[in-house]
Amino acid sequence: MLKIQKLHKSYPIGDSKLHVLKGIDLSVDRGEMVAIMGSSGSGKSTLLNIIGMLDEADQGDYILDEVPIKNLTEKKAAVYRNKFLGFIFQSFNLINYKNALENVSLPLYYQGLKRKKRIEKAKFHLEKVGLLDWASHLPSELSGGQKQRVAIARALASEPKLLLADEPTGALDSTTSHDIMAFLQHLNDEGKTILIVTHEEDIAAMCKRIVRLKDGIIMEDNFVNQVRATAHV
Amino acid sequence: MKFLFERDTWQEVYDSVSKNKVRTVITMIGVWWGILLLIALLGAARGMENSFNRLFGDFATNSVFIWGQSTSMPFKGFQEGKRVRLKLTHANKIKDNVEGVELVVPRNRNQGLVVRNFLSGNFGISGDYPMLDKIQKKKMIRGRFINQNDIDFNKKVAVISEEIYKQLFEKDENPIGTYIQMNSSNFKVIGVFQNGDRNMGPTDDIHIPFTTFQQIYNQGDRIGWMVITGKPEYNIKQIEEDTKLLLRNLNQIHPRDKRAFGSFNLGKEFKKITGFLKGMQFLTWFVGIATLIAGVFAIGNILLITVKERTKEIGVRRALGATPFEIKRQIVVEAVFLTLVSGLLGIITGGWILIAIDRVWGQGDDATLVNASVSISVVFVALIILVILGTLIGLIPAFKATSVKPIEALREE
């Protein structure tokens, strides 16, 4: 599903360079739920950005679903992002002047789907996260957990091969965090491949595999017994 | 171009424009004001031109008036200060010898008492040829102007102005065929004309045949002055010079005697005014377009700020699969939409201002701004300029928006 070999990335800081990723090897199979852990500065966000095609590696190979991701033009990257990936952000990143339904249908708009089809699909995914009744609400009228669920619906809307979550529970209290994790586990049970970047142990423990990064290299890569999050709703 | 007809494109435009109404309105004021100024000024300039044209309207503008004065230099045995009189024979010589002359119209004028029954008044009486009608169009209300037959037979007929008709006749009375008395002779009224050209020199109240005038005032072949019109392709100033030189020759006057003949070159004066109007029109365009450009730049500027504020949103959109082209296109459409809508509003309000100008200054005979208006083609040109400027100015924020990498855009707080 996802194969990364000898990945290097450095950022220029003034005259010197900051070597963030120093040769990462990682492969993820279909249906996995992987937590990427590490303290801040360990390179976990950079790795996620490269996987998400928001950033490009200096060296190394990255193959996603048998498609080599290399030398992408902005346009091609946009098409791949739309087709392969669903993003979930810490700060939700919903567009504040669009209601829940419009937010969810946005990736479908960029897919070039007809309006009717788009609304139909967006409604389906909103229902899946249990927020169909809130379809016409603006993000400012939703709670944090609801916002993140709308964001998940948006990430799912384009039916991506891989869900990328960057600290999805970072801005939520523990109860809502568990709700969100329960939902992500549920999605994983249905077969979705999910990558979660987090620094919280209990969140990582709810995944099936934990990859620990430190100073740009993988320290540990273990399969764990998944802790089931119980929905508190 | 298909995207222009999709509801979503406009939904996006509507969303981002209505998100900050105050800013949108302030932005639009720049372009609105520019086009309003352009329309109002162009319309006013046109109105001014129209009123000038109306003023000169009935008059051949490429014409010069020439009359005799007195010499300022001794020549061929004649003393300085010799009285110079134009003669009828000169008129034919001018027509034959000066290049570019179209018409030479000799005229005579006198002031005289005009009596009808118990009413009388002092009016200007001119002796004229029928061709006067060609250089100074007479609007006949009743009857006709002098014709060749009147000239040939020295007929005692008179064409009177509306003003005299009002003074000497009863209301609704038919003046044609009645008689008025001038210089102890009876003249049959054959026509009434409308007073126009009130601002153009002395008004001719009564026209009688030139030959009749010669007879009753004992003029011989002397003439008061003549009006010379030039063919359109000739320079009226040159014609004036040539005519004067010829006249000096004929009258044995020193070739450099400037005082012998007086003249008024209407063509020259008219050119000055049209030149002034041209200059004003140019100024109007200049000011209008400059204001317009300033307005469009204001839109570009605001969009640039908007783009900066929306960096994160644009990052999110790109993470969700928007291509840079789609982002740019959206911003350009927004810019064009804003310029176009404010431009249209400016055209509409500019039209209202022209209507108001017409109500205040455009009514009646002595209106200062006649039919202040702007042609549709000018409006179209302005709109096309707006669309082009809007597109160009939209490209700046559009490129700015996509120059930031999505990852950096997302990091922006």
Side-chain angles (χ1 to χ4, degrees), chain A residues 49 74 82 98 110 118, chain B residues 8 12 317-318 320 407:
Chain A
N49 285 332
E74 292 274 14
N82 189 281
K98 287 182 177 293
Y110 290 121
R118 226 157 58 213
Chain B
D8 303 295
E12 292 284 312
R317 282 169 183 271
R318 292 179 72 182
L320 295 179
I407 168 93

Side-chain angles (χ1 to χ4, degrees), chain A residues 97, chain B residues 3-4 9-19 23-24 27-28 299-300 302-304 306-307 310 313-314 317 326-342 390-391 393-394 397-398:
Chain A
Y97 57 85
Chain B
F3 72 96
L4 282 180
T9 311
W10 298 106
Q11 182 71 40
E12 292 284 312
V13 170
Y14 172 78
D15 282 346
S16 82
V17 162
S18 60
K19 200 174 90 171
R23 192 173 59 199
T24 307
T27 311
M28 286 167 70
I299 285 189
I302 295 284
L303 278 177
L304 213 54
T306 316
V307 160
R310 288 167 67 190
E313 180 200 320
I314 289 167
R317 282 169 183 271
E326 281 168 316
I327 301 272
K328 280 183 201 141
R329 187 179 70 188
Q330 194 62 38
I331 290 165
V332 170
V333 167
E334 257 182 67
V336 173
F337 174 78
L338 283 178
T339 39
L340 211 56
V341 168
S342 42
T391 310
I393 211 73

Side-chain angles (χ1 to χ4, degrees), chain B residues 103-106 128-136 145-146:
Chain B
L103 288 172
V104 181
V105 186
D128 282 308
Y129 282 104
M131 61 184 162
L132 178 72
D133 193 44
K134 283 189 185 142
I135 57 163
Q136 197 175 0
F145 196 64
I146 295 159

Side-chain angles (χ1 to χ4, degrees), chain B residues 15 33 37 52 79-80 89 96 110 137 167 183 193 209 217 229 251 303-304 313 322 326 357 359 362 382 391 396:
Chain B
D15 282 346
W33 181 245
L37 219 60
F52 272 115
Q79 287 284 319
E80 176 193 343
T89 48
D96 293 343
N110 233 332
K137 187 80 195 142
Q167 287 189 36
N183 203 26
F193 65 89
Y217 290 106
T229 62
N251 289 289
L303 278 177
L304 213 54
E313 180 200 320
E326 281 168 316
I357 285 177
R359 289 267 159 80
T391 310
I396 300 172

Side-chain angles (χ1 to χ4, degrees), chain B residues 104-121:
Chain B
V104 181
V105 186
R107 300 194 66 188
N108 265 325
R109 191 164 185 277
N110 233 332
Q111 200 75 18
L113 188 72
V114 180
V115 185
R116 181 183 182 250
N117 298 342
F118 302 107
L119 297 168
S120 68

